[in-house]
Amino acid sequence: MKIADKLLNLVGVGRERGLPPPRLVAIADGLLVTERSAEAWFLISVANTDLATEAEQDAALDAAVSAAATILGDRLSHLKVVWGRSTGQDYLDSVAGHYRLGDHDAWAQTRADRIDEMRMPERYVALGVHLSDRDPRATAQVRGSISDALGTTSWRVSARELAHLDERVRKLGRQLGSTVWRAHTAPAEVISWLVSREMHRGAVAAPRRGLITGASLARLTAGRVVPYTDHLRIYDARGQIAAYTSVLAMTDFPEELETPGAGEWLRTLSEIKAIDDDGDEIDVTVEASVRFRVLTKKTARNLVDETRKSAKEQRRSAAKGTAEETADEIVETERVMREVKRDINRSGLTLVEDHPRLLVSADTREDLEAYVDAVVAHYADRGITVAAGADEQRDLWLESLPGDQLRVPDLGHVRESTAFFGSWFWGGASIGDATGPAIGYLTGSTPGLVRFDAAAGSALGDATTTLFLGRSGRGKTTAAMLGGLDSAFAGAWVPLLDLKGDAAGVSAVAAEYGVPTALIEITAQFSGAADLLRVLPVDDALLQAPSQLMLLLPPHLRGAAEAPVMAATRAEIQSPDPSSWGVIQRLCAADSETTRTVGFALRDLVETGLGSVVAGPPSGLSSLTTNPGLWVVQMPGLTLPSPESAPESWSPIERVGMACLRGCLAWMVRTTGRREFRGRSKVVIVPEVHLLTKTPDGASFLDYIARVGRALGASLVLDTQDPASILKLPGLVEQITTLFAFSLRSREQVDSLLELLGRPQTPPYQTLVRGINTAANGKSIRHGHCIMRDRWDEVATVQIDIPSQRVAELLRTTPESEHDLEPTQPPIIAPYEEPDPFADDEEDFDDALLPEPAAQAHAQAEAHTQEPVHEPVAARTNGVQHHNGVQDHSTHTNGVQDHPTHTNGVQHHPMHTNGAAHHPAPDAPQPQGAPAPTVQQQNGSAPSPAAPTSNGHDHHHPPRYEQPIGPDEVYDQEADEAAYNEAMYPATPDDENPPRQGPGNKEHVA
């Protein structure tokens, strides 16, 4: 037999090529059993490496090489990199029970519909490890022939054998789970999906049972695949071609590979692009199948010795010839083998024998050729030779099947372990919370949803502060509002302190989905709304209210006013309805002339519009409630003193501004700390927090909430343009768990942001921060794109995504927003920015607080006036042809059906910034402390025609493993960025160059 094998190998036909396809016996969690062997299968977690430093990557690579040598030494292993798809139904299942307030089903459905619309790919890295051989090959072949002839199966797997194999899988899983790969046992349905997708390249639902045998296995593996010289044709049950597939072999690698860089030859699979008929770039979906074996020292030494001896024999044979000359390659091989053996013995060098294959699929032969050319060109740029396996397509394809074996051993490589694991098959982008709402998607080398729960810190026993940083107009406030909405739907108390006055839209969204909400603008209409005697309990108010009143007084009156103000406050607290206005009236009616002077001074200030909010006559209108919901307190006219100025130098308007701010902050602090609210989730949102950090009260407030938030169940969501000021608050910095970084310009701010991100202050990272919101054309803004650092200190690039156009319209904070009555300004052409990372270091940061012409121009130039169009997608029937002639037809509906939204009878009315445009419905429930006639709880009677529904309609979502994606049926990231810009910044009628409207209609099935 061995002599025959050698003869077959001599002519290029090994015995492995003649073996029949694998016959599956059973599939269980982590286990695949065939007639010939048993394999353990695991899923490898994605490592977040896109923005890692070289030192971090080197450490992870060394750890991977060490783990592989210890755990996988001399084991036959099979690595598969395949693509699935994120579905809306998966998302709905993952957030079931998370939301509980308002029409939360409709809110979750809106995001699920958006996920289905994006058709976002999802990468799976699966590792199969050979456990044992079950039957000799010859015996297995004979048994298979007899079974086929009789129409029966003579092979079975016993319960005892399954138990033994399961124990080995668990042991191996514990070992691999503790490595940098964080591997976990692959569920049975995932293994089934890996098998069936290769047979059908279409939508085949995996059986969802713990152990899969018999007829279920037959349905998984039934199919018809016809090999040709350079490709395969896969047929459906109707006899029509379902897909064209080509298996490519990676035949030649350069002597040295750099990592990070061209050496990451498996991580770069998601970066391959092709050019379509319109000249646009499209993503090419390429999958990988690599059979490999990590050689132990003994095996490696034997292999090196055999190679050296073979070279030595060739050298001696050549020396005896007539020419008596030895080829340079033979001499070099002999020398290199001696050095390799020395390294194995001395420095612990490990070797890997690997056989990499790439699989490309398309709907048409022409597309397949274009995709193959793109793959070949992509790797040629990295010095790697890739070619279609001519006349080897059948065997190379069978090699890629789980449960099969190496069939074409001559297309392989033996290399150092670092060269193999430096391919970074487990590298890419992975960030965010493990569960919770989706706020966007990854934009790195591995697409995927990004989950973010602003209120999760306290439940995890972690800090509770989230920070959004960046220049004006980049999308940070919108992202903060989305996080607040998710928290409100989850039942949290969410106050939003709007210092700019442009966040009214978040209340509109909450109202449209039935979440209790109110909008209050600090004006004379809400007299007494920030009165601490009315907001705080008696014990706290006795200390806080006099301090607030003293802050209003000019410096020359404060010395004589402290005792009278305290006495008047004590007396007023005894009244049935105490208020600061009552304290002032008591001071004005006092016998002492000095006390009356203090009272008159306070009365003059509080009779102004802003001053009346602090201590004016109570109007009975206030939205400072403690009920769950989203409560927006606007202070657009607030004038705060500069941090350098002493309190004695503050002007009257600055003193009133500080008193008003102190009242709102005291209300928030008291509510978050109340004992009876300890079990309630609380999320405090402060946009433009750099305006707050300039004041002592604001800095103290932020420091307090950040430090005690975990104990109180309170989370802090901040949005600022000034990371340098955040660094000056060490108590706050220590409590930051999640950070979203948008673009900045000056060196000080960029370096401060990098320090908060935990990235080095080097030119590559500085350039990344400056250009994170610059579109590919270099002349437009990429709104919502940012760098995220999660609570585990992972860093990756993320695109914040708004779930629907209707939500985008309501959230919009641009001047043309329906929530802002100010007229828009004429378009201004944005100047082109030079590529110098710090060209404008000389600009003062305070200029960033002014309206930016470029941002205004983009807001008007990238406007959007069209409603989204949902094309009906017909149900698709995927036939499955069985070898025994039985046909199995399963229909799957792809696409999203759009229905009108029923938001519990909610009708949204435009909100005006004068604080008086909200009128509650007669039957609307009023939260405690909310104004009845003026502050709207926003529960009307008419449904919005543009929003999605979850009541009364059946939304079908395909299961996660039901639809393997096709070659260019991937999420068009650039098109969706344009859609985000269109939704957030609608087009003006004279817009000459409308943004791109999403991906084309071309669909492919893998």
Side-chain angles (χ1 to χ4, degrees), residues 44-47 49 61 64 68 72 79-81 123-127 180-181 263-269 288 290 292 417 419-428 446:
I44 293 177
S45 302
V46 177
T49 61
L61 180 56
L72 301 178
L79 178 69
K80 287 187 68 68
V81 181
R123 191 183 75 171
Y124 292 87
V125 180
L127 176 64
V180 292
W181 299 317
E264 302 177 50
W265 48 274
L266 281 179
R267 187 196 61 80
T268 61
L269 288 175
V290 185
F292 69 95
S417 294
F420 176 75
F421 292 103
S423 64
W424 280 100
F425 54 83
W426 76 99
T446 49

Coordinates of all heavy atoms in Angstrom, one line a residue, residues 44-47 49 61 64 68 72 79-81 123-127 180-181 263-269 288 290 292 417 419-428 446:
I44 N -14.3 31.2 17.3 CA -13.3 32.1 17.8 C -13.8 33.5 17.9 O -14.3 34.0 16.9 CB -12.0 32.0 16.9 CG1 -11.4 30.6 17.1 CG2 -11.0 33.0 17.3 CD1 -10.2 30.4 16.2
S45 N -13.6 34.2 19.0 CA -14.1 35.5 19.1 C -13.2 36.5 18.4 O -12.0 36.3 18.2 CB -14.1 35.9 20.6 OG -14.9 35.1 21.3
V46 N -13.8 37.6 17.9 CA -13.0 38.6 17.2 C -12.2 39.4 18.1 O -12.7 39.9 19.1 CB -13.9 39.5 16.4 CG1 -13.1 40.6 15.7 CG2 -14.7 38.7 15.3
A47 N -10.9 39.5 17.9 CA -10.0 40.4 18.7 C -10.0 41.8 18.1 O -10.0 42.0 16.9 CB -8.6 39.9 18.7
T49 N -8.3 44.6 16.9 CA -6.9 44.9 16.6 C -6.7 46.1 15.6 O -5.6 46.5 15.4 CB -6.2 43.7 16.0 OG1 -6.9 43.3 14.7 CG2 -6.2 42.5 16.9
L61 N 0.2 38.3 19.4 CA 0.7 37.3 18.5 C 1.5 36.3 19.2 O 1.4 35.1 19.0 CB 1.4 38.0 17.4 CG 2.0 37.1 16.3 CD1 1.0 36.2 15.7 CD2 2.7 37.9 15.2
A64 N -0.7 33.9 21.0 CA -1.3 33.0 20.2 C -0.4 31.9 19.7 O -0.8 30.7 19.7 CB -1.9 33.7 18.9
A68 N -1.0 28.0 20.7 CA -1.2 27.0 19.6 C -0.2 25.8 19.8 O -0.5 24.6 19.6 CB -1.0 27.6 18.3
L72 N -2.5 22.8 20.4 CA -2.8 22.2 19.1 C -1.6 21.4 18.5 O -1.6 21.1 17.4 CB -3.2 23.3 18.1 CG -4.5 24.1 18.5 CD1 -4.7 25.2 17.4 CD2 -5.7 23.2 18.6
L79 N -9.4 25.5 9.8 CA -9.8 26.9 10.1 C -10.7 27.4 9.0 O -10.4 27.2 7.8 CB -8.6 27.8 10.2 CG -8.9 29.3 10.4 CD1 -9.4 29.5 11.8 CD2 -7.6 30.1 10.2
K80 N -11.9 27.9 9.3 CA -12.8 28.4 8.4 C -13.2 29.8 8.7 O -13.6 30.1 9.9 CB -14.1 27.5 8.3 CG -13.9 26.2 7.6 CD -15.1 25.4 7.3 CE -16.1 26.1 6.3 NZ -15.5 26.1 4.9
V81 N -13.1 30.7 7.7 CA -13.6 32.1 7.9 C -14.8 32.3 6.9 O -14.6 32.3 5.7 CB -12.5 33.1 7.6 CG1 -13.0 34.6 7.8 CG2 -11.3 32.9 8.5
R123 N -19.1 38.2 10.4 CA -18.0 37.2 10.2 C -18.0 36.2 11.3 O -18.1 36.5 12.5 CB -16.6 37.9 10.2 CG -15.5 37.0 9.7 CD -14.2 37.7 9.7 NE -13.7 37.9 11.1 CZ -12.4 38.3 11.4 NH1 -11.6 38.6 10.4 NH2 -12.0 38.4 12.6
Y124 N -17.8 34.9 10.9 CA -17.6 33.8 11.8 C -16.3 33.2 11.5 O -15.9 32.9 10.4 CB -18.7 32.8 11.6 CG -20.1 33.2 12.0 CD1 -20.9 33.9 11.1 CD2 -20.6 33.0 13.3 CE1 -22.2 34.4 11.5 CE2 -21.8 33.5 13.7 CZ -22.6 34.1 12.7 OH -23.9 34.6 13.1
V125 N -15.5 33.0 12.6 CA -14.2 32.2 12.5 C -14.4 31.0 13.3 O -14.6 31.0 14.5 CB -13.1 33.1 13.0 CG1 -11.8 32.3 12.9 CG2 -12.9 34.4 12.3
A126 N -14.4 29.8 12.6 CA -14.6 28.5 13.2 C -13.3 27.7 13.1 O -12.6 27.7 12.1 CB -15.7 27.8 12.5
L127 N -13.1 27.0 14.2 CA -11.9 26.1 14.3 C -12.3 24.7 14.6 O -12.9 24.4 15.6 CB -10.9 26.6 15.4 CG -9.7 25.8 15.7 CD1 -8.8 25.8 14.5 CD2 -9.0 26.3 16.9
V180 N -5.9 33.8 23.8 CA -6.3 35.1 23.2 C -7.5 35.0 22.2 O -8.1 36.0 21.8 CB -5.1 35.8 22.4 CG1 -4.0 36.2 23.4 CG2 -4.6 34.8 21.4
W181 N -7.8 33.8 21.8 CA -8.9 33.6 20.8 C -10.2 33.5 21.5 O -11.3 33.6 20.9 CB -8.7 32.2 20.1 CG -7.5 32.2 19.2 CD1 -7.0 33.2 18.5 CD2 -6.5 31.1 19.1 NE1 -5.8 32.8 17.9 CE2 -5.5 31.6 18.3 CE3 -6.5 29.9 19.7 CZ2 -4.4 30.7 18.0 CZ3 -5.4 29.0 19.3 CH2 -4.4 29.5 18.5
G263 N 1.4 41.2 6.1 CA 1.4 39.9 6.7 C 0.0 39.4 7.2 O -0.2 38.2 7.5
E264 N -0.9 40.3 7.4 CA -2.2 40.0 7.9 C -3.1 39.5 6.7 O -4.1 40.0 6.4 CB -2.9 41.2 8.6 CG -2.0 41.7 9.7 CD -2.6 42.9 10.4 OE1 -3.8 42.9 10.7 OE2 -1.9 43.9 10.5
W265 N -2.7 38.3 6.1 CA -3.3 37.9 4.9 C -4.7 37.3 5.0 O -5.4 37.1 4.0 CB -2.4 37.0 4.1 CG -1.8 35.9 4.9 CD1 -0.6 35.9 5.7 CD2 -2.2 34.5 5.1 NE1 -0.4 34.7 6.3 CE2 -1.3 33.8 5.9 CE3 -3.3 33.8 4.5 CZ2 -1.5 32.5 6.3 CZ3 -3.5 32.5 4.8 CH2 -2.6 31.8 5.7
L266 N -5.1 36.9 6.2 CA -6.5 36.5 6.4 C -7.4 37.6 7.0 O -8.6 37.6 6.7 CB -6.5 35.2 7.4 CG -6.1 33.9 6.7 CD1 -6.1 32.8 7.8 CD2 -7.0 33.6 5.6
R267 N -6.9 38.4 7.8 CA -7.7 39.5 8.3 C -8.2 40.4 7.2 O -9.3 41.0 7.2 CB -6.9 40.4 9.3 CG -7.8 41.4 10.0 CD -6.9 42.5 10.7 NE -6.1 43.2 9.8 CZ -6.5 44.2 9.0 NH1 -7.7 44.6 9.1 NH2 -5.6 44.8 8.2
T268 N -7.4 40.6 6.1 CA -7.7 41.5 5.0 C -8.8 41.0 4.1 O -9.1 41.6 3.1 CB -6.5 41.9 4.2 OG1 -5.9 40.7 3.6 CG2 -5.4 42.5 5.1
L269 N -9.4 39.8 4.4 CA -10.4 39.3 3.5 C -11.5 40.3 3.3 O -12.1 40.4 2.2 CB -11.0 38.0 4.1 CG -10.1 36.7 4.0 CD1 -10.7 35.6 4.7 CD2 -9.7 36.4 2.6
A288 N -12.5 31.7 3.6 CA -11.2 31.0 3.7 C -11.4 29.7 4.3 O -12.2 29.5 5.3 CB -10.2 31.8 4.5
V290 N -8.6 26.8 5.7 CA -7.2 26.5 5.9 C -7.0 25.3 6.8 O -7.4 25.3 7.9 CB -6.4 27.7 6.5 CG1 -4.9 27.4 6.6 CG2 -6.7 29.0 5.8
F292 N -4.4 23.0 8.7 CA -3.1 23.3 9.2 C -2.7 22.3 10.4 O -3.6 21.7 10.9 CB -2.9 24.7 9.7 CG -3.7 25.1 10.9 CD1 -3.0 25.1 12.2 CD2 -5.0 25.5 10.8 CE1 -3.7 25.4 13.3 CE2 -5.7 25.8 12.0 CZ -5.1 25.8 13.2
S417 N 5.6 29.7 12.9 CA 4.3 29.9 13.5 C 3.9 31.4 13.4 O 2.7 31.7 13.2 CB 4.2 29.4 14.9 OG 4.4 28.0 15.0
A419 N 4.5 33.5 11.1 CA 4.0 33.8 9.8 C 2.6 33.4 9.5 O 1.8 34.0 8.8 CB 5.0 33.2 8.7
F420 N 2.2 32.2 10.2 CA 0.9 31.7 10.0 C -0.1 32.5 10.9 O -1.1 33.0 10.4 CB 0.8 30.3 10.3 CG -0.6 29.7 10.2 CD1 -1.2 29.5 9.0 CD2 -1.3 29.4 11.4 CE1 -2.5 29.0 9.0 CE2 -2.6 28.9 11.3 CZ -3.2 28.7 10.1
F421 N 0.2 32.6 12.2 CA -0.7 33.3 13.1 C -0.7 34.8 12.9 O -1.6 35.5 13.3 CB -0.5 32.9 14.5 CG -0.8 31.4 14.8 CD1 0.2 30.5 14.9 CD2 -2.1 31.0 14.9 CE1 0.0 29.2 15.1 CE2 -2.4 29.7 15.2 CZ -1.4 28.7 15.3
G422 N 0.4 35.3 12.2 CA 0.4 36.7 11.9 C -0.6 37.1 10.8 O -0.7 38.2 10.5
S423 N -1.3 36.1 10.2 CA -2.4 36.4 9.3 C -3.5 37.0 10.0 O -4.4 37.6 9.4 CB -2.8 35.1 8.6 OG -3.4 34.2 9.6
W424 N -3.6 36.9 11.3 CA -4.6 37.5 12.2 C -6.0 37.2 11.7 O -6.9 38.0 11.5 CB -4.4 39.0 12.2 CG -3.4 39.5 13.1 CD1 -2.1 39.8 12.8 CD2 -3.4 39.6 14.5 NE1 -1.4 40.2 13.9 CE2 -2.2 40.0 15.0 CE3 -4.5 39.4 15.5 CZ2 -1.9 40.3 16.4 CZ3 -4.2 39.6 16.8 CH2 -2.9 40.1 17.2
F425 N -6.2 35.8 11.5 CA -7.6 35.4 11.2 C -8.6 35.8 12.2 O -9.8 35.8 12.0 CB -7.6 33.9 10.9 CG -7.0 33.1 12.1 CD1 -7.8 32.7 13.1 CD2 -5.7 32.6 12.0 CE1 -7.3 32.0 14.2 CE2 -5.2 31.9 13.1 CZ -6.0 31.5 14.1
W426 N -8.2 36.0 13.5 CA -9.1 36.4 14.5 C -9.1 37.9 14.8 O -9.8 38.4 15.7 CB -8.8 35.6 15.8 CG -7.6 36.1 16.6 CD1 -7.6 36.9 17.7 CD2 -6.2 35.8 16.3 NE1 -6.3 37.2 18.1 CE2 -5.4 36.5 17.3 CE3 -5.5 35.1 15.4 CZ2 -4.0 36.4 17.3 CZ3 -4.1 35.0 15.4 CH2 -3.4 35.7 16.4
G427 N -8.3 38.6 14.0 CA -8.2 40.1 14.2 C -9.3 40.8 13.5 O -10.1 40.3 12.7
G428 N -9.5 42.1 13.9 CA -10.5 42.9 13.2 C -11.0 44.0 14.2 O -10.2 44.7 14.8
T446 N -14.0 44.3 10.3 CA -15.0 43.3 10.5 C -16.3 44.0 10.8 O -16.4 44.5 11.9 CB -14.6 42.3 11.6 OG1 -14.2 43.0 12.7 CG2 -13.5 41.4 11.2

